[in-house]
Amino acid sequence: MVPDTLRWDDGSLILLDQRKMPWETCFVTCRSSEDVARSISSMVGRGAPAIGIAAAYGMALASFGGEDIEAAREMLLASRPTAVNLRWALEVMDSVKEGSPENMLALARNLHKEDIEINRAIGDNGEALIADGSTLLTHCNAGAIATAGWGTALGVMRSCKERGKRIKVYADETRPRLQGGLLTSWELMEDGFDVTVITDGMAAWLMKSGKVDGVIVGADRIAANGDTANKIGTYGLSIVAKAHGVPFYVAAPTSTFDLSIRSGYDIPIEERDGDEVRSPYGKELLSKDIKVWNPAFDVTPGENVTAIVTEVGVLRPPYDSSIATVLRDVKAR
Amino acid sequence: MVPDTLRWDDGSLILLDQRKMPWETCFVTCRSSEDVARSISSMVGRGAPAIGIAAAYGMALASFGGEDIEAAREMLLASRPTAVNLRWALEVMDSVKEGSPENMLALARNLHKEDIEINRAIGDNGEALIADGSTLLTHCNAGAIATAGWGTALGVMRSCKERGKRIKVYADETRPRLQGGLLTSWELMEDGFDVTVITDGMAAWLMKSGKVDGVIVGADRIAANGDTANKIGTYGLSIVAKAHGVPFYVAAPTSTFDLSIRSGYDIPIEERDGDEVRSPYGKELLSKDIKVWNPAFDVTPGENVTAIVTEVGVLRPPYDSSIATVLRDVKAR
């Protein structure tokens, strides 16, 4: 069984330590906003939706602990730069930052609960796009543990399975941190899927073999024109999918849209320590003295995205208008 | 300094153990054709030109050892299926297989010596394609240790440097066996190049940043139409290069051409043990119970190849005619 990504327990936020899965099931206890920020930047907790919720709980912890609320907000916002869900969750929390700690906790709990419903809805909307018997390829981990539960890209697969569709999955291992090889494979095996891991460089050849019916990935931030920031490697995958006529789906909650950014080239891309490439999880693959480049994300142009699957429906190009329309509807609720 | 890939010493073939570079400089002594075949299949020695020469020495060892020559030939031919240089070298050796062991050794030594000259010529022909100040991206290791010396793709870089051109290099780490991250980075650093390693999934994003002026790779077998088998990941790289208008060069000796194969889809593609993906060099990255797919090569269509750099000149599309013409010239010598 897949453990809870986040849990509020006895005045603390308990995060599943994703750096240790699937080898060990460990949890990190956060008692302050600083604990939460450190857990996000060190990738104890990861996945755009999950870190948004963690940051919301971080604000509640700041309030209970009598911390400087503005400083706590700044620190949480700066903990990772690319996923916009972090900013979105903090903006939602702003509405109660003058209130009691209990008010803040109630709102964080509500975001947490809603995220599961949102993922369920993404799954169900995406399920309609996938034919019975399909083979899907995914990148990184947009699963239950990247969210409050169910998952975005993997949520679509779970919804397919729930409705009796037979789905086979290939997972890119997703270097450098191997979230596909470690987290996606484990999550899907726990749920009884037929999953095969490939190295990132094998995806094009797998498509050439005719084995891939669709690619489905998550997102960290989507610009107004549909340009999508996601885990490094997604952009190249979108190009090879297009070259093979394979549909390329992005599954993400509407909180991932950032209308303040017109195109993906303005999305800040985090560069992380080169040791993630050289020595993932302390396993020394490459020499310490080798120079590496380690951007954590890339941007897939909207023109490479067949559809964006959200909790309120499936968006199609032109994304400028479909995204604007759907966000107007969400705000009007 | 880069050690010798192969060396004949006191009746034995001494191979650099490439599974241990750059951590340890070790050599494996082959005293029979079986030793050579095992060293090739286990990747002690690797690289299409290098394994061709190793197989030629393997035939000499078989002859000195009084082995069944036909059985030795079969075993060497079967040691790896994709690189055609293996078959080519054995066919060259066929001309002396009725002769003395000394005849066979002399021919193997000649192939060995010629390969260095061939690589020098490939380097010089390729150098003319590369502008001063260029940044080149390569995949896997088509270097000095994949050949008798100098290298094919890396030979072009060495020739650029020798003629005073300033070249910056990015190397795909090349999962699963990390030949780019381990061997190419080390070879180029030994020779004073500015080299940066990226994970395979970063190549497209690197190109998008405008930093790549050309891609240059080696080859294991090239069909009559220019379709090129090379290390897994090359095909996807060729697609993203094309999408960014980045020239994609293949550097290989004419012994890599296989006119008996009309298109790449008939090239046998070796699938290797999944533990190469799960636990490269014994470092356990992924759980043992995870299903993986591990094709060692893929095929890049000739239409994605800007030019093929050989020892007798630079071939351009249409490859059907340019390859046929150049092979006629080579045979006529």
Side-chain angles (χ1 to χ4, degrees):
Chain A
M1 227 192 71
V2 178
D4 286 339
T5 321
L6 317 99
R7 192 158 42 86
W8 181 264
D9 187 40
D10 195 23
S12 298
L13 174 65
I14 315 291
L15 293 176
L16 176 66
D17 190 346
Q18 305 199 24
R19 303 168 306 179
K20 300 205 171 149
M21 300 299 298
W23 311 105
E24 297 172 58
T25 306
C26 298
F27 297 89
V28 169
T29 302
C30 300
R31 295 192 173 88
S32 66
S33 64
E34 197 183 336
D35 288 351
V36 175
R38 200 182 314 112
S39 294
I40 293 172
S41 59
S42 67
M43 298 183 75
V44 167
R46 48 150 292 285
I51 66 178
I53 300 159
Y57 280 118
M59 289 302 291
L61 284 170
S63 183
F64 279 112
E67 299 175 33
D68 177 330
I69 291 292
E70 287 307 324
R73 189 188 190 284
E74 286 278 299
M75 184 175 51
L76 287 163
L77 185 60
S79 60
R80 290 197 79 188
T82 302
V84 76
N85 315 63
L86 199 56
R87 192 185 74 199
W88 170 85
L90 291 169
E91 283 172 357
V92 172
M93 294 301 288
D94 284 346
S95 66
V96 291
K97 72 180 171 185
E98 310 295 332
S100 67
E102 288 74 17
N103 286 155
M104 296 190 86
L105 177 60
L107 187 51
R109 279 184 188 277
N110 199 48
L111 285 179
H112 187 171
K113 187 175 133 274
E114 267 183 9
D115 190 63
I116 300 181
E117 293 158 13
I118 285 169
N119 280 290
R120 280 280 186 171
I122 290 171
D124 292 347
N125 288 334
E127 180 270 334
L129 301 171
I130 310 298
D132 186 25
S134 290
T135 296
L136 300 174
L137 173 62
T138 189
H139 190 73
C140 197
N141 173 268
I145 59 173
T147 62
W150 202 248
T152 53
L154 302 196
V156 173
M157 297 174 191
R158 288 191 166 97
S159 292
C160 285
K161 193 158 189 283
E162 196 173 57
R163 300 208 185 165
K165 287 182 178 169
R166 287 152 302 179
I167 300 295
K168 187 172 153 57
V169 182
Y170 281 89
D172 281 351
E173 64 170 0
T174 319
R175 280 279 282 149
R177 292 183 67 97
L178 300 161
Q179 294 94 332
L182 293 172
L183 305 178
T184 293
S185 61
W186 157 73
E187 261 201 55
L188 292 177
M189 282 165 75
E190 285 291 308
D191 281 7
F193 282 88
D194 176 359
V195 56
T196 303
V197 171
I198 60 173
T199 68
D200 304 331
M202 292 174 190
W205 189 237
L206 182 70
M207 288 180 196
K208 183 75 178 185
S209 74
K211 283 182 194 152
V212 183
D213 300 304
V215 175
I216 183 159
V217 297
D220 289 81
R221 192 185 306 218
I222 303 174
N225 67 347
D227 289 356
T228 298
N230 191 46
K231 182 53 54 200
I232 186 73
T234 305
Y235 171 52
L237 190 61
S238 77
I239 295 171
V240 299
K242 197 174 194 179
H244 292 93
V246 171
F248 187 91
Y249 302 115
V250 170
T254 52
S255 56
T256 313
F257 292 112
D258 183 356
L259 289 196
S260 76
I261 286 191
R262 287 182 48 143
S263 91
Y265 306 106
D266 300 320
I267 299 176
I269 298 295
E270 178 183 12
E271 292 200 14
R272 294 182 63 88
D273 195 294
D275 281 343
E276 291 190 342
V277 174
R278 287 181 286 251
S279 304
Y281 308 100
K283 288 159 187 171
E284 193 178 9
L285 295 181
L286 310 182
S287 302
K288 283 243 162 293
D289 59 343
I290 287 174
K291 193 158 68 168
V292 301
W293 183 50
N294 187 23
F297 303 93
D298 58 26
V299 177
T300 296
E303 68 205 54
N304 289 6
V305 178
T306 310
I308 302 173
V309 183
T310 76
E311 73 275 22
V312 290
V314 174
L315 278 55
R316 299 278 184 179
Y319 291 116
D320 282 301
S321 56
S322 58
I323 291 172
T325 305
V326 87
L327 286 191
R328 213 160 33 231
D329 293 352
V330 168
K331 279 198 182 149
R333 286 180 188 196
Chain B
M1 229 194 64
V2 179
D4 286 338
T5 321
L6 316 100
R7 191 159 43 87
W8 181 264
D9 187 41
D10 195 23
S12 297
L13 174 65
I14 315 291
L15 293 176
L16 175 67
D17 190 346
Q18 304 198 24
R19 301 168 308 180
K20 301 203 171 150
M21 299 299 298
W23 312 106
E24 297 171 59
T25 306
C26 298
F27 298 90
V28 169
T29 302
C30 300
R31 296 191 174 87
S32 66
S33 65
E34 196 183 336
D35 286 351
V36 176
R38 201 183 312 113
S39 293
I40 293 172
S41 58
S42 67
M43 298 182 75
V44 167
R46 50 150 291 284
I51 66 176
I53 300 159
Y57 280 118
M59 289 302 289
L61 284 170
S63 182
F64 278 113
E67 298 177 32
D68 178 332
I69 290 293
E70 287 307 323
R73 189 187 191 284
E74 286 279 296
M75 185 174 51
L76 287 163
L77 185 60
S79 60
R80 290 197 79 188
T82 302
V84 77
N85 315 61
L86 200 56
R87 192 184 75 199
W88 170 85
L90 291 169
E91 283 172 358
V92 171
M93 294 301 287
D94 284 345
S95 66
V96 291
K97 74 180 172 187
E98 308 295 329
S100 67
E102 288 74 18
N103 287 156
M104 296 191 85
L105 178 59
L107 186 52
R109 279 184 187 276
N110 199 49
L111 285 178
H112 187 171
K113 186 175 132 278
E114 268 184 7
D115 190 63
I116 300 182
E117 293 159 13
I118 286 169
N119 280 291
R120 281 278 186 171
I122 290 171
D124 293 346
N125 288 332
E127 181 270 334
L129 301 171
I130 310 298
D132 186 24
S134 290
T135 296
L136 300 174
L137 172 62
T138 189
H139 189 73
C140 196
N141 173 268
I145 59 173
T147 63
W150 202 248
T152 54
L154 302 196
V156 173
M157 297 173 191
R158 288 193 165 97
S159 292
C160 285
K161 193 156 189 283
E162 196 173 56
R163 299 205 186 168
K165 287 183 179 167
R166 287 151 301 177
I167 298 296
K168 187 171 152 59
V169 182
Y170 282 88
D172 281 351
E173 64 170 2
T174 318
R175 280 278 284 149
R177 292 183 67 96
L178 299 161
Q179 293 96 331
L182 294 171
L183 305 178
T184 294
S185 60
W186 157 73
E187 261 201 54
L188 292 177
M189 283 166 75
E190 284 292 306
D191 281 7
F193 281 88
D194 176 0
V195 56
T196 303
V197 171
I198 59 172
T199 69
D200 304 331
M202 292 173 189
W205 189 236
L206 182 69
M207 289 181 195
K208 184 75 179 185
S209 73
K211 283 183 195 152
V212 183
D213 300 303
V215 175
I216 183 157
V217 298
D220 288 82
R221 190 184 306 218
I222 303 174
N225 67 346
D227 289 355
T228 298
N230 192 47
K231 182 54 55 197
I232 187 73
T234 305
Y235 170 52
L237 189 61
S238 77
I239 295 172
V240 298
K242 197 174 193 177
H244 292 92
V246 171
F248 187 91
Y249 302 116
V250 170
T254 53
S255 57
T256 313
F257 292 113
D258 183 356
L259 289 195
S260 76
I261 285 190
R262 287 183 49 143
S263 91
Y265 306 106
D266 300 321
I267 299 177
I269 299 296
E270 178 183 13
E271 293 201 10
R272 295 182 62 88
D273 194 295
D275 280 344
E276 290 190 343
V277 174
R278 288 180 286 249
S279 304
Y281 308 99
K283 287 157 189 173
E284 193 178 9
L285 294 181
L286 310 182
S287 302
K288 282 243 163 294
D289 59 343
I290 286 174
K291 195 157 67 168
V292 302
W293 183 51
N294 186 22
F297 303 93
D298 58 26
V299 177
T300 296
E303 68 205 54
N304 289 5
V305 178
T306 309
I308 303 174
V309 183
T310 76
E311 72 276 22
V312 291
V314 174
L315 279 55
R316 299 277 184 179
Y319 291 115
D320 282 302
S321 56
S322 58
I323 291 173
T325 304
V326 87
L327 286 191
R328 216 162 27 233
D329 293 350
V330 168
K331 279 199 179 148
R333 287 180 185 193

